Amino acid sequence: MQSCKNAIEELVIAEIDLQISHLPQYRRDQINLSEVAAYALNRLPPMYATSKAGWLRQRKKAATEMRSQIESAVRRALVSVKPDALRDSRPLPSQEVASHARSLAALQQLLGAENASWKDIPTALENALMTVKLKSAVSNTYIITGRRESRDETAISSKTPEISWKGRQVKTFVNSSQDEQKARDFQTYMVDVNYQFSNVLEKLVLSLAYHQIQKLHPAIAETVDLGEATAYVLNRLPPMYATSEKGYKSLRLRAREVYGKEVVAVLKEAIAVCVEAPNLEKVPLPLARFEAELEESLEQVSWILQRDDINWRNAPFIVEECLHRVVNNEMEWRKRSDYNYPYSS
């Protein structure tokens, strides 16, 4: 969920990494890290935040006052979660784990651009497209030259050589304390992309909060921050993290049956708090800066590929499709510098 985030998730993941670091590789390969994380998170109090101040406050509290609780919860999770061939292996519904960060991770892998941020993706894409162009030119030259020099044309394979678009890497620089802070925020932004877990209450509460706010008078509804109301409720309910489709359905049903009335009651309280004391000068989460980069990045990617249907959900699929089409000389693309496209390198 983009509007609020559980600050304790990153600390749990860091603690898992620490506690398994001394284990041999074969033992680490047997551990389902997502299940370990979900087990621990379900036994720790939620710490959702929607603003920079709230995020820093929750992080500080979790790192100091809850250090021993996090260590203990992870330790118990590693002991309790065992490999089970009979356990439901069907993953969570795609909409439950879809996120801006996961789409970025997919683009990083596709373009061979490790650690690239959203801001770096257009340049990484152009590098990949230029690599295809240069390799195609070299390949075509080799084929033509080979055919001229060979007396037997059958010696030259008619199969088009396979061309990879992974070439030059995107370089990122950290040269100031501000950049170092952004690097730490980016690490937080990407921390859970390799994990498959989700608090099933998040979307349920978000949906209920949205509909409750819509029932208010427009003048009152404007003072209620949807993210604030959602976080208020989530911080007062026991977390329900799932890692599989079966677990997701089971917990979602339980959430509706057991906590349905409680959610509505706490939600009304949250809305009342937001109306009485609206946070008009709220500074967004530090991770929000990457959301702004996302919009600009996708706009540039769309321009480069001459596509108007790209969004954060389908970007990895469309980019891969276009790269294959460029390899096969089936489409044209544009380089920003050739058209004086306004962008910051």
Side-chain angles (χ1 to χ4, degrees), residues 10 31 40 43 63 101 152 165 206 222 233 241 273 299 322 334:
E10 181 183 10
I31 301 173
R43 287 156 181 81
D152 181 8
W165 50 74
L206 181 65
E222 287 181 1
V233 177
Y241 282 87
V273 170
E299 183 178 325
C322 289
R334 299 180 290 190

Side-chain angles (χ1 to χ4, degrees), residues 330-342:
E330 294 174 355
M331 70 168 278
E332 297 291 331
W333 60 279
R334 299 180 290 190
K335 188 176 181 182
R336 291 168 297 172
S337 59
D338 293 341
Y339 290 83
N340 296 319
Y341 186 96

